[in-house]
């Protein structure tokens, strides 16, 4: 099972992840921020920085319960307009 070992916020909408298999990835979360009540708060940089890691690295979440599981983040492939880098 993949877990998130740690993460760091790169800027207002990007997070760099270190996964349990040694993979590192930076994901731009702009594509996940919309006008709905769950994702809209993440457009505020101060709120975006409130992201936390679930116990045992089983995902990330914000205070409003918007969350992402490590498997999704590990497998996520951004399109050409979003930044994503991988290192093995």
């Amino acid at each position: 099972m993949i877990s998130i070992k740690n993460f760091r916020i790169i800027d207002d909408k990007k997070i760099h992840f270190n996964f349990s298999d040694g993979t590192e990835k930076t994901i731009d979360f702009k594509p996940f921020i919309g006008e709905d009540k769950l994702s809209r708060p993440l457009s505020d940089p101060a709120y975006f920085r409130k992201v936390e890691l679930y116990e045992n690295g089983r995902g990330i979440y914000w205070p409003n319960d918007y969350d992402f599981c490590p498997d999704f983040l590990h497998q996520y492939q951004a399109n050409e307009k979003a930044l994503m880098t991988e290192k093995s």
Side-chain angles (χ1 to χ4, degrees):
M1 288 178 35
I2 294 293
S3 62
I4 300 167
K5 298 304 267 178
N6 58 54
F7 70 89
R8 71 180 185 280
I9 298 169
I10 302 297
D11 69 11
D12 291 344
K13 304 293 179 288
K14 296 180 187 117
I15 300 176
H16 182 81
F17 296 94
N18 295 85
F19 295 95
S20 58
D21 68 350
T23 302
E24 295 184 31
K25 181 181 285 189
T26 299
I27 297 177
D28 185 343
F29 281 80
K30 286 180 194 170
F32 302 108
I33 301 171
E35 292 301 315
D36 60 282
K37 70 178 186 177
L38 198 57
S39 68
R40 186 177 345 151
L42 277 66
S43 64
D44 174 3
Y47 191 86
F48 187 82
R49 288 186 200 93
K50 292 182 178 186
V51 63
E52 297 284 337
L53 185 63
Y54 279 121
E55 187 175 334
N56 298 320
R58 294 306 305 152
I60 59 168
Y61 67 95
W62 281 267
N64 67 351
D65 293 328
Y66 190 47
D67 64 358
F68 290 87
C69 76
D71 294 324
F72 174 81
L73 296 170
H74 187 264
Q75 295 174 15
Y76 176 70
Q77 297 290 318
N79 64 29
E80 294 179 39
K81 295 179 183 177
L83 170 70
M84 191 242 2
T85 60
E86 290 188 39
K87 297 178 187 176
S88 297

